[in-house]
Each structure stands twice: as C-alpha cells, then as structure tokens.
Amino acid sequence: MKRVAVLISGEGRNLQALLDAHDRGLLPATFVGVVSNRDGAPGLRRAAAAGVPVAVVRHGDFPDREAFDAALTLQLEAWRADWVVLAGFMRVLTPAFTTHWQGRLLNIHPSLLPRHRGLQTHQRVLQAGDREHGATVHFVSADLDGGPAIIQGRFTVSAEDDAQQLAQRVMKDVEVHIYPQAVAWCVSGDLQLMPEGTVMFRGAPLSAPLTLADLEPGF
Ligand code: GAR
C-alpha cells in the first residue's frame, strides 16, 4: 500500500474528500500524515478526526524557503511518504523540493490550467469573461502551476456567478471529485509521470488531461 502525505494551509475540504474516498474503499493508500504551514488550519482537525497524524511546520520559523522546504522533506521522509499531495497548500515550493519529489508530488489548482495560474482565479475568470471554469490536478514541477496535467473538470460559467459562487462550484462540482480519483490512479499505478514529462495512463501517453467523463463510479 502506498504511503500518502497531504500538505494543507486552510480549510482542508480537498483533504476531507481524500479521506472520505479512502473510507469508502476507493483510495487504496495509507494516509501517513498531514502537514500544515499554519497553526490552527481547520484541515488539521479533519485529519485528527480521521486518526491521521498531524504536524505543523511554520514557514515563519525558517530564514528562507530553502530551509522551510528542507524541514517539510524531513517530516515527509520521517513518515516514509511515497506520494505528497498538495491540498490548498498556499506556499510556493523551491526547485530543490519539487525536484526531490518529482513524479510523486501532486497539486490541485482552481482553474483550467494553463489559464489563470496563481491566485484569485475565480475573479480573474469573471474579469476575462471566460465561458468555462474548473480545476486541474497536475504533477508539480519547478514551474509554478505549470507541471503536466492529469485531469481537469470544467463547467459553464453562468451570468449569475460571482467569484464566491464560482469558488463553491469549483470545489463542490469539480475538486472533491477529481482529486480523490487522480490520487487513486497514482497510488494504484495507473498513472505515472515519465522523466521527460509525459503522463502515462494505463500504459499509454495522455495527449490531453482526463475529464469528468473519465471518473470511475463512486468518485
Ligand atoms: C482549493 O480550491 C484549491 O484548489 C486551492 O485552494 C482551495 C483550498 O481549499 N488551491 C490553490 O489555490 C493552490 N494555489 P481546501 O483547503 O478547502 O481544500
């Protein structure tokens, strides 16, 4: 069974979706720990309630990003994590960290990458007049929000949507479905990142990200 660690900074709704999928027998992995860079992140309570070990590694306790990331790796290696899942983790990671965990490091981003990398994606979708919005699960590389995509869920933006509604729709209709599915594919060996950056799904290269239509029953 692969060992999964999750990095969070806040609410932990994606973390909860992963734990729930695991409870329902859909995610064959061991959750070895949850790290937050913030004290009191609500997601820590979700982890504790599920009996998953928690740790806080405060970014403010370190002189620079390199030292913070080294402390993260130390904790993740103490847990012997095979996979590291970023779930609302709001710190930019150093190339040393992303290289160390390459091919074993996943992120979920609230936009249809490559559109709207970075923050405030929902507002930017509205400002740009985008007709579609969604979320992307991708392998993390040193290029912020630029690593190879695995799955994207999309929906049509309606005239009534404000940024808050878009955030809710992204979470409820997309993120909590695609992230557990992507992690399940990774830990079961269905999905792999090749050294040159190609994503292989069941032995064939992915030419485009998987979609909501590819979700298996239960997700
Ligand atoms: C999610 O929408 C996630 O995609 C986003 O933060 C939210 C975290 O919610 N992540 C990023 O913006 C990463 N740059 P959660 O803590 O309730 O899962």
Side-chain angles (χ1 to χ4, degrees), residues 21 24-27 177 181 184-185 202 212-219:
R24 287 185 282 130
L26 294 169
L27 216 166
H177 306 286
Q181 174 70 88
W185 282 328
R202 296 181 178 147
L212 290 174
D214 297 303
L215 293 178
E216 290 165 6
F219 290 100

Side-chain angles (χ1 to χ4, degrees), residues 132-193:
E132 289 193 307
H133 188 27
T136 307
V137 178
H138 64 95
F139 282 103
V140 177
S141 68
D143 183 17
L144 183 66
D145 299 328
I150 295 170
I151 182 168
Q152 273 187 333
R154 60 181 68 229
F155 58 82
T156 304
V157 176
S158 85
E160 295 85 56
D161 281 324
D162 58 20
Q164 203 184 338
Q165 273 154 339
L166 285 180
Q168 269 170 19
R169 293 183 70 191
V170 165
M171 177 61 64
K172 193 166 155 288
D173 299 343
V174 181
E175 293 196 303
V176 298
H177 306 286
I178 64 173
Y179 216 6
Q181 174 70 88
V183 175
W185 282 328
C186 287
V187 297
S188 64
D190 279 343
L191 215 140
Q192 290 164 289
L193 181 66

Side-chain angles (χ1 to χ4, degrees), residues 7-16 43 46 86-91 107-111 117-122 134-136 138 144-145 167 170-171 175-176 179:
L7 267 52
I8 63 165
S9 300
E11 284 300 319
R13 289 159 297 179
N14 279 294
L15 166 66
Q16 188 69 59
R46 299 178 189 266
L86 308 179
F89 184 70
M90 304 307 281
R91 300 292 300 173
N107 183 43
I108 188 158
H109 181 78
S111 80
R117 296 183 186 198
L119 300 175
Q120 295 180 325
T121 57
H122 314 298
T136 307
H138 64 95
L144 183 66
D145 299 328
V170 165
M171 177 61 64
E175 293 196 303
V176 298
Y179 216 6

Side-chain angles (χ1 to χ4, degrees), residues 1-7 14-23 26-34 47 50-54 79-81 83-85 87 179-180 183-184 187:
M1 200 80 97
K2 294 293 182 192
R3 299 169 65 84
V4 174
V6 184
L7 267 52
N14 279 294
L15 166 66
Q16 188 69 59
L18 295 168
L19 296 171
D20 290 348
H22 179 257
D23 269 2
L26 294 169
L27 216 166
T30 305
F31 283 85
V32 292
V34 171
V52 177
V54 297
W79 283 330
R80 292 184 289 117
W83 286 87
V84 178
V85 174
Y179 216 6
V183 175
V187 297

